[in-house]
Amino acid sequence: MKKNIKPFIQVFSRRSGLYLASILVLFLMIGILTTVQPAYRFSSTILSDWTRNIDELVFYNMLGMENRAYKSSFPDDEELPKLSNIFFQLATNIQPSDPRSLLGNELPGFSIYDSQILMASGDDNHFTSFPIESNPPLEEVLKDREAVVEEDVDEELPPEEDVEQTTGDRDVVFLYTTHNRESFLPHLPGVEDPNSAMHAEINISKVSERLGQSLERKGIGTYVDKTDFGQQLNEQGKKYHQSYEVSREAVETAFSGNKDIQYVFDLHRDALRRDKTTIEIDGESYAKLIFVVGTAHANYEENMKTATELNALIEEKYPGLSRGIYPKDGSNGNGVYNQDVSGNALLIEFGGVDNTMEELYRSADALAEVFSEYYWDAEEVSNP
């Protein structure tokens, strides 16, 4: 029996054997912990948080032992993590290469950076460029301010197109803006504080209108909700952080009154500054986009799938325009964002406080172009 086993053992290197042994011990421990009495059992969340600290290269290496094709895809200069580092991370929940794993547990407020951006493009997309949501007092949101925007900006729509496909009189896209008064500093003379970049008319809702117009020109019927949710909050005596409770009523009303709605997009403006939210493409300046997917509801994978597919198409046609996909749970913020109403409901951040309407409109037109291709391809698959 030993003679039969010996040739197989020799296939694995000593180091690979150690990795395999450590992982087998880990899974054995998990098996024991999950089969004991419930009172002494670790929760699945604890186990998930614990095991996620294992470097993914360990698992890739294990697969490579069985199928060498996996190893062939590794960069030549990629080194496997040391076994001591793996056990250190498992024991302490600290990753030496990521200061967030230590500081996030010690400094108040720092834990908000314990997240990730999925499918980010470019080297400037990391934890310092996570979306920042303004949360000023409601009185600051409703304050009267002067706003300036060139009159011809709204008139510079893309030329009319002869579309081959159309949804007819059906509105299949619903656009709304939960934080509808989010505005932009270049259009607010004398305002410098990002938290004060709010206005009743010159705001993110104009970008929503532009996106709706561009989608209509692509033959996609779109309903643009123009509710002033900021004013509704004031009338109902609610706080700014309750915005999604108010906007949810509009979304549910739209669904109940229109069975044709297939996609729901909630447009926002990031509070990040210009260097993180702007890109030049073919000599033109664009406001970057980022998809926010709330993961604090059961069916968020469907929303993630939609965001992933759209993000890939944007990256293909307008490289760098999208900052990626930002999954966000309920530990710091809403975490649902009304996305539980549909698997095709997304929150899309357009630019930041320093972007101009010209830049924002270019991005809206680009998104409409990409989405129209995505939509009609999906229609052909559904109705061959």
Side-chain angles (χ1 to χ4, degrees):
M1 185 69 179
K2 292 183 178 179
K3 291 182 179 180
N4 293 333
I5 297 176
K6 187 175 181 180
F8 292 99
I9 296 177
Q10 292 175 340
V11 173
F12 303 104
S13 66
R14 180 182 179 185
R15 191 175 184 189
S16 298
L18 288 173
Y19 279 115
L20 181 60
S22 64
I23 297 303
L24 288 175
V25 170
L26 175 63
F27 283 113
L28 179 61
M29 291 175 61
I30 292 175
I32 294 172
L33 291 171
T34 54
T35 54
V36 297
Q37 296 180 23
Y40 302 102
R41 202 181 286 173
F42 280 118
S43 70
S44 60
T45 301
I46 293 175
L47 292 173
S48 177
D49 290 342
W50 188 40
T51 55
R52 74 176 181 176
N53 290 318
I54 300 177
D55 196 298
E56 61 269 16
L57 285 177
V58 174
F59 296 101
Y60 292 153
N61 186 61
M62 290 179 62
L63 292 171
M65 292 185 222
E66 299 297 327
N67 187 338
R68 294 184 180 277
Y70 284 98
K71 284 191 174 182
S72 66
S73 64
F74 290 174
D76 294 335
D77 58 349
E78 193 73 68
E79 294 185 3
L80 286 172
K82 295 180 179 179
L83 195 58
S84 58
N85 285 346
I86 295 175
F87 284 118
F88 176 77
Q89 292 178 25
L90 288 173
T92 64
N93 209 25
I94 295 174
Q95 301 180 43
S97 62
D98 189 350
R100 296 175 297 167
S101 61
L102 173 63
L103 299 177
N105 295 326
E106 303 298 330
L107 300 180
F110 200 88
S111 60
I112 64 173
Y113 296 106
D114 187 18
S115 188
Q116 58 184 329
I117 294 179
L118 303 181
M119 298 171 212
S121 60
D123 297 332
D124 60 339
N125 287 317
H126 42 73
F127 64 86
T128 63
S129 59
F130 287 166
I132 297 178
E133 184 176 336
S134 299
N135 192 24
L138 186 57
E139 55 267 24
E140 187 71 18
V141 174
L142 300 176
K143 187 179 295 184
D144 288 334
R145 295 181 178 86
E146 178 187 0
V148 177
V149 62
E150 294 78 5
E151 293 183 1
D152 59 345
V153 172
D154 293 337
E155 299 174 359
E156 295 179 356
L157 276 165
E160 290 280 1
E161 299 181 27
D162 294 327
V163 293
E164 297 179 358
Q165 297 169 295
T166 177
T167 61
D169 58 356
R170 297 182 303 117
D171 288 336
V172 298
V173 177
F174 178 74
L175 303 179
Y176 71 111
T177 50
T178 294
H179 293 156
N180 66 289
R181 295 201 176 205
E182 289 178 331
S183 189
F184 307 90
L185 294 176
H187 302 288
L188 302 174
V191 179
E192 298 180 358
D193 182 3
N195 286 323
S196 298
M198 302 285 175
H199 196 269
E201 297 178 1
I202 308 303
N203 52 45
I204 188 64
S205 64
K206 292 183 71 65
V207 183
S208 184
E209 292 177 17
R210 176 62 170 244
L211 178 59
Q213 292 171 335
S214 295
L215 288 172
E216 290 278 358
R217 286 171 176 252
K218 299 290 184 181
I220 300 175
T222 304
Y223 180 83
V224 181
D225 183 86
K226 299 181 180 180
T227 304
D228 186 346
F229 295 115
Q231 186 60 40
Q232 283 197 356
L233 283 169
N234 187 49
E235 293 172 355
Q236 296 178 23
K238 295 184 177 181
K239 303 296 184 181
Y240 194 60
H241 69 270
Q242 296 175 292
S243 296
Y244 292 98
E245 296 177 19
V246 176
S247 65
R248 186 180 186 85
E249 298 173 9
V251 176
E252 291 177 341
T253 299
F255 267 96
S256 63
N258 181 5
K259 303 303 182 183
D260 293 321
I261 294 177
Q262 297 172 265
Y263 294 87
V264 183
F265 299 147
D266 184 9
L267 273 58
H268 288 250
R269 178 268 292 148
D270 205 333
L272 283 175
R273 305 313 297 257
R274 184 175 181 83
D275 62 320
K276 301 293 185 183
T277 64
T278 314
I279 188 172
E280 185 172 303
I281 302 175
D282 295 332
E284 297 280 9
S285 186
Y286 289 74
K288 289 186 177 183
L289 312 175
I290 188 167
F291 298 94
V292 178
V293 176
T295 61
H297 64 98
N299 300 316
Y300 75 90
E301 291 93 346
E302 298 179 26
N303 309 92
M304 186 69 74
K305 179 177 181 292
T306 302
T308 300
E309 293 171 347
L310 278 176
N311 183 76
L313 289 175
I314 292 173
E315 183 62 18
E316 179 182 341
K317 205 168 188 77
Y318 293 91
L321 179 62
S322 174
R323 291 160 53 200
I325 304 168
Y326 183 55
K328 195 172 180 183
D329 59 24
S331 62
N332 181 53
N334 184 275
V336 178
Y337 306 110
N338 300 330
Q339 293 172 11
D340 56 331
V341 300
S342 168
N344 291 324
L346 297 175
L347 188 158
I348 309 175
E349 300 266 8
F350 271 77
V353 290
D354 298 310
N355 286 108
T356 65
M357 283 297 172
E358 292 92 337
E359 295 165 339
L360 294 156
Y361 286 171
R362 289 190 193 108
S363 299
D365 295 341
L367 178 59
E369 178 185 351
V370 171
F371 178 79
S372 65
E373 296 179 7
Y374 172 79
Y375 179 82
W376 293 122
D377 285 346
E379 286 294 290
E380 290 180 6
V381 173
S382 300
N383 304 292

